[in-house]
Amino acid sequence: MNPRVRPLAILLSVAALLSTWSCSTGFDRAEMQDVIRQTVTLPASHTDPTVTTRPPALPRPFRLGVFFSHRDFPTRQAITPADWRSQDHDALLHVLTPLQGQHLLQDILVIAHSSVETPSVADIRKAAARYGADVLLVVTGAGSVDRHHTWSALLYPTIIGAYWASGTVSDALFLIDGSLWDVRSGVPYGSHRAEGLASQSGPAASLDDRNVLAEAKASALRILGAQ
């Protein structure tokens, strides 16, 4: 091969390889929902379509118990169960607080994990009853990150490009399910689903997927609270 042609051939090969990275593969929402479903054990009546028991009327105002469910699972590709932090609790409670001013909520109680024996709705309800809650909100979630490259990543082999080229994009999706249950009877009031999206770009070495996932989770929590 002509020595003058070799650099061009190398550059074209790199460009062809990079083009396979440049497109996002997207998110597997069905797989994420499967992870969420395994986070909490639901009562048999909840999955039986023949059971149509109606929940009792809500007292006004009522005491709401909130439980952020978490269970460790082996990572499924880019899907991970929710890792709830204290700021996540605060964010959701902040959105729900105005309901107290409307005399719908008397109090919002965060149910501690240490007070729950097993990750089942039945045991979470027992803990909520000990807290004095009338209604239980069980929050479950899962996140996924999709990282891909742009043409700016061609600069990564250079010293400056490795640190300054924004050649990598990190997209994150966070799904949250919030189910409402009557504490005494265990009858569900219903459920709400929210999803938050976030995206950040930067050099591959310094771009932290955890930050973009946290941003997507915060967005989903705001949407859940609004619902």
Side-chain angles (χ1 to χ4, degrees), residues 14-28:
V14 173
L17 178 62
L18 183 60
S19 67
T20 64
W21 300 345
S22 60
C23 295
S24 171
T25 58
F27 302 104
D28 191 341

Side-chain angles (χ1 to χ4, degrees), residues 114-137:
S114 58
S115 64
V116 177
E117 295 183 6
T118 65
S120 66
V121 171
D123 281 344
I124 301 170
R125 279 177 44 229
K126 291 178 183 177
R130 292 193 295 270
Y131 275 75
D134 302 303
V135 178
L136 170 65
L137 172 62

Side-chain angles (χ1 to χ4, degrees), residues 55-170:
L58 282 172
R60 295 292 184 95
F62 63 89
R63 293 165 63 88
L64 177 67
V66 182
F67 182 78
F68 291 83
S69 182
H70 172 77
R71 184 189 292 182
D72 290 323
F73 286 100
T75 301
R76 301 187 182 186
Q77 296 180 353
I79 302 174
T80 57
D83 180 18
W84 302 112
R85 309 277 180 162
S86 59
Q87 55 264 37
D88 300 327
H89 302 182
D90 296 340
L92 181 58
L93 299 185
H94 177 74
V95 178
L96 295 175
T97 297
L99 295 178
Q100 292 178 292
Q102 301 173 23
H103 305 292
L104 297 176
L105 280 179
Q106 178 181 345
D107 202 359
I108 304 173
L109 312 163
V110 177
I111 310 300
H113 279 253
S114 58
S115 64
V116 177
E117 295 183 6
T118 65
S120 66
V121 171
D123 281 344
I124 301 170
R125 279 177 44 229
K126 291 178 183 177
R130 292 193 295 270
Y131 275 75
D134 302 303
V135 178
L136 170 65
L137 172 62
V138 178
V139 182
T140 59
S144 179
V145 174
D146 180 24
R147 177 179 277 221
H148 54 282
H149 299 287
T150 68
W151 291 101
S152 296
L154 285 171
L155 298 174
Y156 283 166
T158 68
I159 296 177
I160 296 178
Y163 291 94
W164 297 103
S166 296
T168 303
V169 178
S170 179

